[in-house]
Amino acid sequence: MTLSAPQMGVGPRALLRRLREAMVEPVAAQQRLDRTVELIAANMVAEVCSIYIRRAGDQLELCATKGLQPSAVHKTRLRFGEGLVGEIARTAEPLNLTDAPHHPKFAYRPETGEDPFHSFLGVPILKGGHVLGVLVVQNQTQRHYSEEELEALQTVAMVLAEIVASGQLIQLDDAVIDEEITPTRPYRQNGVGFADGVAVGKVILHAPPIKDHALFAEDVTVELQRLEQGVEQLRQSIDSMLSAVDSSLIGEPRDVLEAYRMFAHDRGWVRRMEEAVGHGLTAEAAVEQVQSDTRARLSRQRDPYIRDRLHDLDDLAHRLLRFLAGKDNGSVREYPAGAILVAHNLGPAELLDYDPNRLGGVILAEGSPGSHVAIVARAMAVPMVGMVDGVLDHVKEGDWAVIDGENGEIYLRPTQGILSAYDEKIALHEQRQAKFTAIRNAPATTRDGHEIELQMNAGLLVDLQHLDLAGAQGIGLFRTELQFMVSSTMPRLGAQVSFYQEVLDTAGHRPVTFRTLDLGGDKILPYGHVRREANPALGLRAIRLALARPALLRYQLRALLMAAAGRGLRVMFPMVAEVEEYRQARALLDVEVERLKRLNQALPDKLEVGCMIEVPSLVWQLGALLPLVDFVSVGSNDLIQFFFASDRTNPQVSDRYDFLSPTVLGLLRHILAECRAHNLPVSLCGEAAGQPLEAMALIGLGFRAISMPPARIGPVKLMARGLHVEQLAQFMDDLFLRPDRSVRHLLKEYAEKNGVIV
Ligand code: PEP
Ligand code: MG
C-alpha cells in the first residue's frame, strides 16, 4: 500500500528552527545527535531516522538512530558501496525506495532490527561536494516519499553537514577531517609544468568561497529578496561583461561568457535555490547547498565537456556568494606579494587581473600547456603548473605552497625538509638567472666561433620589455592574432597601425617578423561569428581563413605597410599547405603595396616576405616555394603535431612522440638542405627552440637563427656558448638514420661528455 504524500507536516522550516534550538542546548554531543534524529523522525512522520557518519577508510558508522536497535549505534559500519547507505555515499545520490529489502544493494544487518521497514529515503550529507555521511528515514509501510520530502531531507542534510563539519555534533576522524574538510597534512601532487620557474608562497584561491555566513534564515522573505537581488546583480555583471568585454579581459572567449549567461539565467538553478531558502536557509546557505549537490552530480560525469561546465557553475556560485556578501564591487583583489594563485582553470584575462609582478606562481586543476593562459604565463615568466587534478579539494586559502614549473610538481603545506630543499633549488635557480643576466648582452657565439641568432616570440606589448631583459636579438615571431584576441571589438586600421608602430619603435634596430593573423582553431575572437568545427586544428584557420575572407588580411597588411613606412618590414604567412596559398597571400600584399603607391603614401624601405613551414605537405614543395620567398620559419609546434598526427593541445598524446626522434631530425635536415641550396635564410620558432637540448640539436643540424619564449633565451645562450658546432654536427651526422624512436639519450650523453649545459 502506498500512503499519500504527507507528512512533512510542519515543514522543514519548523524543523530547522528546532534543530537550531537543539544545537545550543548544553548537553553532550551524543545526546545532541540523538535529539536530532528524534526531531527529524517526528517531523517527517518516520518510524526510523538514522545518521551515518563517515569514518577513515571510507567506512560509514551508524552514530545515532531513532527506531533501529540502539545497541547497533557505533557498532554497525558499512563500507562505501555496501548496502543502501554505502551506495548513497558512493554515488552521492539520494535513494527513494518503496520496498528497500528488495533492492539489489540491500544488505541485511541483523543487529539493527531493520527487517520490518520497507520504505526508505536516504540522502548524502555533503559538504563542498564531499560525502561526510548519510541521513536516512524509514517507514514500515510501503509508502512513497514525495519530491518535497526528498528536498526537505536534503535541506536538513545540508544543515547537518555544516554542523557535523563544525564538530558540534560528533568528533570526526582526523583522517576524514584532513581529507574532506580542513586539509592540514603536507600534500604533494604531480601535474604538468606549463611555465618554468620555482616559487614558494601563500595560497590565494581564485574567487574564494565566502565563509562564515549564517545557515538559518531569520526571515525567509528577506532572504528571498537578498537572493533575488544577488541573482539580478550576477546577471547584470555577466551581461555587461558580455556586451562590453573590456580590453583587459583578453581572450575570455565569447562562448564561455555565453555559457555563464545561460547558467545565470537558468530558471531551474534559481528555483532550486529559492526552494532551499523557502525551507529556511539563508541565501548563502541555499547557494552552497545547490552548488554542493550539483558538484557531486556533475563530478561523476564521464563526459569531459560536462565536467568542464563545473568550472562555470562553481565560478557562478562563487560570484553570487560575493554579491550576497557585498564584496563584489569590481575592486582589484589585494593579496600578499609572491602569492600562489590556485584555480580550477583561468582565462588569460583572469590571469591578467592579478599583477604578474606580485604573483609567485599559479596552480590550475585543469588547463593544457598549449592553452592561452599558459602562453601568457610563459610570456610573463610566472611559474605555472596545470592539470593538477582535484587540487582544490586539498588546498585552503593561506596554505603554504611550493610550485615547481620545471618538474610539474606542487606541494601544499610543505614540511620543513621540502621547504629547505626548495630554498636551495630557488637559490640555484637565482644563481642560474644571475648567470643568464651576466651574459645577457654577450653574443651567443659558440666555442668554434659560430654566431647563433637568438630571437624571442611575442604577441602583446607587455612582451616587448623582454627584448632588453632577456637580451633577445629581435622578434622572430610576432603573433599578431593576440592583439585581436585582447580587444572587445575588431581593431580598426588606425589602431592596428599605431600598435605595429609601437612594436617597431620599441624594437628599434632589432628585426621584428610579423606573422599575419593565425586565427581559427582554438584562437577565437571575442567578437564575430564562430562556426564550430569538428577538428579545428585542421579547419578553416590561419591563411585558409584569411584567403576565404581576404578583407581582414588586406587590412592587416595595409596596417603593417603603413606602420613600417620608412623602415624595414618582415611579414610571414602561417599554416601554408601549398605554394598556391602563399602566392595568393603574397598577391594580396602586392595589391596593398600598389594601393599605397597609388595614393602616394610612404612605404617601407625594405620589404621581406616569408612563409612558415607548419604543414608537412609544404616540405615537399620547397623547390617551388623557396624561389618565391625571402625567408622561411619552421613553426615546429604545428609541423610536429601534423607530422605525427598528434594534437598539441591534448595532453594525452602531445608528449607521445619525441621531437628528438630520427624522423624529425631527418625532416628538419631536409628543410635545411633545401634552404641552403636556395641560399635562403631559415629559422625555427616553435617551443622546441627554447629547450636547451632541442636547441643544441637544431644548431647541430645547421640552424643559425631560432626564436623562443623570452625566458628561454638565457638557458639556450648558456648552452650555445659552450658548444663546439662542427664537432656536434659530425656527431649528429647519421643520427637521423638510427632505428631508435628517440635519440634524446644520445644527445644528452653528448652534452654531458662535452660540458654543454642543457
Ligand atoms: C608553431 O606552430 O610552431 C608556431 C610557432 O605557431 P603557433 O604556436 O602560434 O601555432
Ligand atoms: Mg603554428
Side-chain angles (χ1 to χ4, degrees), residues 515 518 523 541 574-575 612 614 635 637-639 648:
R515 172 179 73 187
D518 184 3
K523 294 175 183 164
R541 55 173 285 206
M575 281 289 294
M612 289 191 77
E614 302 193 275
N637 303 336
D638 276 316
L639 183 64
R648 65 191 258 193

Side-chain angles (χ1 to χ4, degrees), residues 34-259:
D34 295 342
R35 181 87 186 109
T36 304
V37 286
E38 262 169 37
L39 282 171
I40 299 171
N43 187 275
M44 294 205 57
V45 198
E47 283 129 10
V48 174
C49 174
S50 313
I51 294 176
Y52 295 80
I53 297 292
R54 181 175 186 165
R55 295 303 196 190
D58 283 350
Q59 297 247 355
L60 295 151
E61 179 182 313
L62 176 65
C63 284
T65 184
K66 155 85 184 137
L68 297 184
Q69 289 297 338
S71 54
V73 170
H74 297 306
K75 292 216 173 60
T76 293
R77 280 192 172 215
L78 293 152
R79 287 188 310 280
F80 268 43
E82 184 187 359
L84 299 174
V85 169
E87 188 61 7
I88 293 168
R90 186 184 70 80
T91 58
E93 294 275 15
L95 269 182
N96 185 354
L97 304 171
T98 311
D99 190 9
H102 283 97
H103 189 279
K105 276 284 177 182
F106 183 78
Y108 179 56
R109 287 302 180 83
E111 76 273 13
T112 62
E114 202 173 2
D115 0 7
F117 301 105
H118 281 274
S119 43
F120 174 104
L121 178 63
V123 296
I125 300 174
L126 292 169
K127 182 155 169 64
H130 294 288
V131 176
L132 292 187
V134 174
L135 172 64
V136 175
V137 290
Q138 290 172 278
N139 281 81
Q140 284 200 15
T141 48
Q142 291 194 10
R143 61 168 285 207
H144 181 75
Y145 300 98
S146 67
E147 268 304 301
E148 290 75 41
E149 285 175 296
L150 169 60
E151 280 177 18
L153 198 65
Q154 281 177 314
T155 304
V156 174
M158 188 256 168
V159 172
L160 275 182
E162 294 293 333
I163 302 173
V164 168
S166 71
Q168 290 175 59
L169 269 184
I170 190 158
Q171 196 65 40
L172 285 177
D173 285 2
D174 284 352
V176 175
I177 296 174
D178 285 355
E179 283 314 309
E180 304 295 334
I181 304 170
T182 51
T184 52
R185 294 188 187 158
Y187 179 81
R188 191 195 80 78
Q189 195 175 343
N190 274 341
V192 175
F194 286 2
D196 273 358
V198 180
V200 176
K202 280 203 164 182
V203 165
I204 48 166
L205 295 176
H206 180 61
I210 308 285
K211 295 275 179 206
D212 300 333
H213 53 73
L215 280 177
F216 302 104
E218 294 290 339
D219 180 338
V220 170
T221 320
V222 171
E223 290 304 313
L224 276 174
Q225 272 168 4
R226 289 185 62 234
L227 181 68
E228 195 184 323
Q229 258 172 24
V231 169
E232 194 43 45
Q233 281 174 312
L234 174 74
R235 286 175 176 170
Q236 274 174 16
S237 75
I238 306 279
D239 287 351
S240 58
M241 227 184 192
L242 195 61
S243 58
V245 181
D246 120 341
S247 59
S248 67
L249 277 175
I250 69 164
E252 180 93 41
R254 193 174 192 85
D255 56 348
V256 170
L257 288 179
E258 281 290 2

Side-chain angles (χ1 to χ4, degrees), residues 517-521 523 525 529 533 539-553:
L517 292 173
D518 184 3
L519 289 170
K523 294 175 183 164
L525 296 180
H529 180 68
E533 296 178 299
L540 189 65
R541 55 173 285 206
I543 198 71
R544 302 170 186 179
L545 187 66
L547 293 176
R549 299 194 206 130
L552 191 57
L553 178 60

